[in-house]
Amino acid sequence: MARDVRGGPPRFGAKAQKAGRRPRPARRDAASHGRMTRAGSSGGEVERAPVRAVDAPGREPAAVDRDVRDAMHQAIALILVSATVLLIIGIVMVYSATAPSAIRYAHANGLPTAFNTANGQLMYAAIGVVLTAAAAFVPLRLYERMADAVFVCGILLQLAVLSPLGSAVAGNTNWISLGPIRVQPSEFLKLATILWLAARLGGMRRDDWRISSFLLPTWWPWPAHLRGRYTMPVGTGAIAALAAVLAGFDMGTAMVFALICAGIFWLAGMPGRYFMWIGGLGVFGAAVLVAVNPSRLTRIKEYLDTLLSQPDALNPTQADFALWAFGSGGLSGGGLGTGIEKWPGNLAEAQNDFIFAVIGEELGMFGCLVVVAMFIVLGWGLVRICLAHPSRFASLACGGIAVWMCGQAIANMLVVTGVLPVFGVPLPLVSQGGSAVVACLLAVGFAVACAMDAPGVRASFRVPRRLAYRARAVVKG
C-alpha cells in the first residue's frame, strides 16, 4: 500500500507510481509456495493456492502425489519379494524334481552328479536376475517408443520356429535350437505383445472402439471408406500374435495369449458386446483345433472320462499321478527329495507343467498355500501399479502382466489338480524352462521400471548429499 505524498488517499499500482513512489512488492516465501505469505506493510497475511514447484533440470518435481508415490513403493516391495520367493522355490523344486533322472544318468555314465537340467535352470535364473535389474532402470518412455520394434521382432522370432531352426517337442513346434541352446520365442512374445497393446491402446481414445479403429488396417484392399485408421490396429496385431503361436501347433500357449489380449482389452474399456462375439468365435475355433488333432481329442476324452471318477490304478493318466502326489503329501508333505510320483514312469513333465504336484507331495498343502499366496501378492503389487499409476501405458502394461502371470498360474494349478484338461502351460517363475523364467523376470523388471517412473518415486530412493557426506564422515572418523 502506498500513500500520496500530498496527503491524499492511499494509492495502488500505477497510481502509486504516478504519485512518485514505487509500490512495495508482495514478499513471497521462496521455501514454500503453498504456505502463508506476507504482502504489504500492514502485517496482514494472504493465503496463496498451492503451486507446483519447479526444480533444477534433471531433478524430479518437488510437488508429487504422496498417495501415488506410496502405492508405487508398496508395489515394488510386493513384486520383488513375491517374485524372489517364487524363484527360490522354483529352483529348489527343479533340483528335487530332476533328481531321479539325474541319479540314473550319473549311475549309467559313472558320474558323481548329473544335475545338468537343474544347473541350467539356476544359470538362466541368474541371467534373468541381472536382466531384471537392468530393465528396472530403463526409462518408461523408451519402452513405449520401442514397443513397435519389440513386437515386430517378437513376431519374426516366433515365425522362426517354422524354419530349419525350429524344434518340435511333444508335437508342438514352439522352440528354436541354436546348438546346445534351445529358446522358446513365445515366452518373449507374451511380454512384447503386452507392451505393444499397452502402447497402442494408451495412444487411442478410450471410447474409440469402432471396427475401423480396432480391426481394419489402412492397407486393407477394400474401398477407401472401408479402410481403417491405423497401419496395424490393436485387433489385427493381437490376431497376428495368436496366429504366429498357433503356427507351431501350441494351443496351450495360444490360450494364454487369448487371455492376455482379452484382459488388456477389458482394462482399456472394450464394450461388452465385443467380448460376446470374440468369445464365441474363440470357443468355436478352439473346438475346431481340438477336433482336428488326435492328441488333443484324446486328452479331452480322458478328462471327461475321469472328471467324476476316482483315479484308475490300472491305467492312470497324468492327472491321476498328480492327484496321488497331492494325496500322499498331506498337510506338511514328506520332505524335499522324498517324492515318489516324480520318478520316471510315473508323473510326466514333473519339473515343467506338473511341478505343482511335486510341491504338494514334498511340501504338502502348506507349501502349496505359500505358492498360491505369493502369486496373490505378486498380482496385488501389479494391480496397485495398474490402478494408481498416472501413465495409461504403464497401467495397461502392468495389468496385462498381472493377467499373464496370475492367469497362467491359475490355469496351471487347475490342470494339475484335474479341474481342467491337460493343455501344457508352465507355472510362472517356478517351472523349469530357461526362456520362461527369463521372460517372467524381464516382466518383473519392467513393472518395477513403471513404478519407478511415477513422479517422486525415483527421487525418493536417492540418498541426500548431506546425509551421504555425514555417513562418509562417520565412517572415516
Side-chain angles (χ1 to χ4, degrees):
M1 188 184 302
R3 186 173 296 274
D4 192 355
V5 295
R6 294 173 293 182
R11 300 174 182 269
F12 297 88
K15 294 183 178 181
Q17 293 180 1
K18 188 176 180 180
R21 183 178 179 181
R22 296 181 60 186
R24 178 180 297 176
R27 291 186 298 174
R28 186 169 58 182
D29 188 359
S32 175
H33 289 271
R35 297 179 182 176
M36 305 294 289
T37 56
R38 188 176 302 276
S41 58
S42 61
E45 291 182 341
V46 179
E47 185 174 353
R48 294 179 177 271
V51 180
R52 187 178 181 85
V54 179
D55 290 348
R59 299 182 62 181
E60 298 287 347
V64 298
D65 190 336
R66 292 187 177 181
D67 293 338
V68 173
R69 185 186 62 187
D70 294 343
M72 297 301 107
H73 287 166
Q74 295 171 9
I76 292 173
L78 293 174
I79 292 171
L80 291 181
V81 170
S82 58
T84 301
V85 173
L86 289 172
L87 186 63
I88 293 174
I89 292 176
I91 293 173
V92 173
M93 296 312 301
V94 167
Y95 270 98
S96 178
T98 57
S101 59
I103 293 172
R104 287 191 175 187
Y105 182 83
H107 180 72
N109 294 273
L111 300 175
T113 58
F115 285 94
N116 296 330
T117 301
N119 291 337
Q121 182 73 3
L122 180 61
M123 180 190 68
Y124 284 118
I127 294 173
V129 170
V130 174
L131 293 178
T132 300
F137 291 95
V138 176
L140 186 63
R141 187 178 298 274
L142 182 59
Y143 280 114
E144 191 171 4
R145 290 179 178 177
M146 296 296 294
D148 290 342
V150 171
F151 181 66
V152 172
C153 291
I155 292 288
L156 295 177
L157 190 63
Q158 178 61 34
L159 293 177
V161 301
L162 304 177
S163 69
L165 297 176
S167 176
V169 177
N172 295 334
T173 309
N174 204 23
W175 284 264
I176 297 176
S177 296
L178 301 173
I181 301 176
R182 195 169 62 182
V183 181
Q184 189 174 4
S186 59
E187 294 296 330
F188 300 99
L189 183 57
K190 292 175 184 176
L191 181 58
T193 303
I194 290 172
L195 296 181
W196 184 78
L197 288 176
R200 284 303 179 95
L201 290 171
M204 291 174 54
R205 290 172 46 190
R206 296 175 184 263
D207 58 346
D208 189 9
W209 291 101
R210 294 172 296 178
I211 298 297
S212 59
S213 301
F214 175 73
L215 195 60
L216 302 180
T218 55
W219 43 267
W220 197 258
W222 284 8
H225 66 279
L226 295 177
R227 295 176 185 174
R229 300 180 55 189
Y230 303 100
T231 304
M232 181 61 72
V234 290
T236 305
I239 293 174
L242 190 63
V245 175
L246 285 175
F249 303 101
D250 192 351
M251 186 173 176
T253 304
M255 294 174 65
V256 175
F257 267 85
L259 177 65
I260 291 172
C261 295
I264 295 181
F265 290 152
W266 179 76
L267 291 172
M270 175 184 280
R273 64 181 184 275
Y274 281 21
F275 287 102
M276 295 178 59
W277 286 100
I278 296 175
L281 293 175
V283 171
F284 176 76
V288 172
L289 292 175
V290 169
V292 299
N293 188 288
S295 176
R296 297 170 188 156
L297 194 59
T298 301
R299 291 182 182 181
I300 296 298
K301 290 180 178 179
E302 290 179 352
Y303 167 73
L304 295 177
D305 292 339
T306 60
L307 182 61
L308 301 177
S309 62
Q310 296 293 329
D312 188 357
L314 299 178
N315 189 22
T317 62
Q318 200 169 0
D320 293 337
F321 284 115
L323 293 178
W324 286 333
F326 285 116
S328 60
L331 292 177
S332 58
L336 283 173
T338 61
I340 298 175
E341 304 302 335
K342 65 186 180 183
W343 282 83
N346 295 338
L347 184 63
E349 302 294 336
Q351 75 277 10
N352 293 328
D353 301 341
F354 281 78
I355 197 170
F356 192 61
V358 180
I359 296 174
E361 186 177 12
E362 299 186 355
L363 302 181
M365 187 183 71
F366 294 145
C368 293
L369 290 179
V370 169
V371 174
V372 173
M374 288 299 102
F375 276 108
I376 293 175
V377 172
L378 176 62
W380 177 240
L382 293 168
V383 169
R384 290 282 286 171
I385 300 177
C386 178
L387 295 177
H389 205 284
S391 170
R392 182 169 166 80
F393 167 69
S395 177
L396 292 175
C398 289
I401 295 173
V403 173
W404 164 25
M405 291 193 176
C406 297
Q408 184 172 317
I410 293 173
N412 175 272
M413 294 175 188
L414 293 179
V415 167
V416 175
T417 53
V419 179
L420 292 178
V422 177
F423 54 86
V425 289
L427 190 62
L429 295 170
V430 179
S431 293
Q432 183 267 331
S435 300
V437 71
V438 171
C440 289
L441 289 174
L442 277 174
V444 169
F446 168 76
V448 174
C450 291
M452 294 284 287
D453 190 76
V457 177
R458 196 179 301 275
S460 64
F461 286 99
R462 297 172 183 167
V463 180
R465 294 183 179 179
R466 182 173 297 179
L467 180 61
Y469 176 79
R470 291 180 179 179
R472 289 194 297 266
V474 170
V475 172
K476 292 181 180 180

mmCIF file of all heavy atoms in Angstrom, residues 119 147 201 247 290 306 383 439 442 454:
data_model
loop_
_atom_site.group_PDB
_atom_site.id
_atom_site.type_symbol
_atom_site.label_atom_id
_atom_site.label_comp_id
_atom_site.label_asym_id
_atom_site.label_seq_id
_atom_site.Cartn_x
_atom_site.Cartn_y
_atom_site.Cartn_z
ATOM 1 N N ASN A 119 21.019 -77.324 -13.011
ATOM 2 C CA ASN A 119 22.078 -76.317 -13.071
ATOM 3 C C ASN A 119 21.800 -75.292 -14.173
ATOM 4 O O ASN A 119 22.088 -74.100 -14.022
ATOM 5 C CB ASN A 119 23.426 -76.986 -13.316
ATOM 6 C CG ASN A 119 23.893 -77.809 -12.129
ATOM 7 O OD1 ASN A 119 23.473 -77.570 -10.994
ATOM 8 N ND2 ASN A 119 24.736 -78.795 -12.379
ATOM 9 N N ALA A 147 8.106 -50.127 -28.390
ATOM 10 C CA ALA A 147 7.106 -51.188 -28.358
ATOM 11 C C ALA A 147 6.862 -51.775 -29.747
ATOM 12 O O ALA A 147 6.753 -53.001 -29.901
ATOM 13 C CB ALA A 147 5.801 -50.654 -27.768
ATOM 14 N N LEU A 201 -3.032 -48.918 -27.251
ATOM 15 C CA LEU A 201 -4.273 -48.538 -26.572
ATOM 16 C C LEU A 201 -4.093 -47.272 -25.748
ATOM 17 O O LEU A 201 -5.042 -46.501 -25.574
ATOM 18 C CB LEU A 201 -4.735 -49.685 -25.673
ATOM 19 C CG LEU A 201 -5.237 -50.930 -26.404
ATOM 20 C CD1 LEU A 201 -5.453 -52.072 -25.417
ATOM 21 C CD2 LEU A 201 -6.528 -50.641 -27.155
ATOM 22 N N ALA A 247 0.797 -71.299 -35.344
ATOM 23 C CA ALA A 247 1.540 -71.891 -36.455
ATOM 24 C C ALA A 247 2.453 -73.015 -35.976
ATOM 25 O O ALA A 247 2.783 -73.916 -36.752
ATOM 26 C CB ALA A 247 2.360 -70.812 -37.172
ATOM 27 N N VAL A 290 -9.207 -78.635 -31.562
ATOM 28 C CA VAL A 290 -9.202 -79.888 -30.800
ATOM 29 C C VAL A 290 -9.674 -81.046 -31.659
ATOM 30 O O VAL A 290 -9.122 -82.156 -31.629
ATOM 31 C CB VAL A 290 -10.083 -79.745 -29.539
ATOM 32 C CG1 VAL A 290 -10.304 -81.096 -28.880
ATOM 33 C CG2 VAL A 290 -9.447 -78.783 -28.553
ATOM 34 N N THR A 306 -12.614 -89.175 -16.693
ATOM 35 C CA THR A 306 -12.126 -89.213 -15.302
ATOM 36 C C THR A 306 -12.616 -88.037 -14.473
ATOM 37 O O THR A 306 -12.189 -87.901 -13.323
ATOM 38 C CB THR A 306 -10.592 -89.221 -15.295
ATOM 39 O OG1 THR A 306 -10.103 -88.035 -15.951
ATOM 40 C CG2 THR A 306 -10.060 -90.444 -16.029
ATOM 41 N N VAL A 383 -1.434 -55.002 -9.665
ATOM 42 C CA VAL A 383 -2.704 -54.284 -9.710
ATOM 43 C C VAL A 383 -2.572 -52.907 -9.072
ATOM 44 O O VAL A 383 -3.209 -51.939 -9.518
ATOM 45 C CB VAL A 383 -3.802 -55.119 -9.020
ATOM 46 C CG1 VAL A 383 -5.070 -54.304 -8.814
ATOM 47 C CG2 VAL A 383 -4.125 -56.349 -9.863
ATOM 48 N N ALA A 439 11.879 -64.558 -19.349
ATOM 49 C CA ALA A 439 10.804 -63.663 -19.777
ATOM 50 C C ALA A 439 10.009 -63.146 -18.584
ATOM 51 O O ALA A 439 9.656 -61.962 -18.530
ATOM 52 C CB ALA A 439 9.885 -64.394 -20.755
ATOM 53 N N LEU A 442 12.079 -60.551 -16.787
ATOM 54 C CA LEU A 442 12.065 -59.298 -17.552
ATOM 55 C C LEU A 442 10.777 -58.531 -17.316
ATOM 56 O O LEU A 442 10.784 -57.288 -17.193
ATOM 57 C CB LEU A 442 12.240 -59.592 -19.041
ATOM 58 C CG LEU A 442 13.659 -59.790 -19.547
ATOM 59 C CD1 LEU A 442 13.636 -60.210 -21.013
ATOM 60 C CD2 LEU A 442 14.487 -58.516 -19.382
ATOM 61 N N ALA A 454 6.917 -43.205 -11.805
ATOM 62 C CA ALA A 454 5.902 -42.327 -11.227
ATOM 63 C C ALA A 454 6.563 -41.126 -10.560
ATOM 64 O O ALA A 454 7.672 -41.234 -10.019
ATOM 65 C CB ALA A 454 5.046 -43.090 -10.223
#
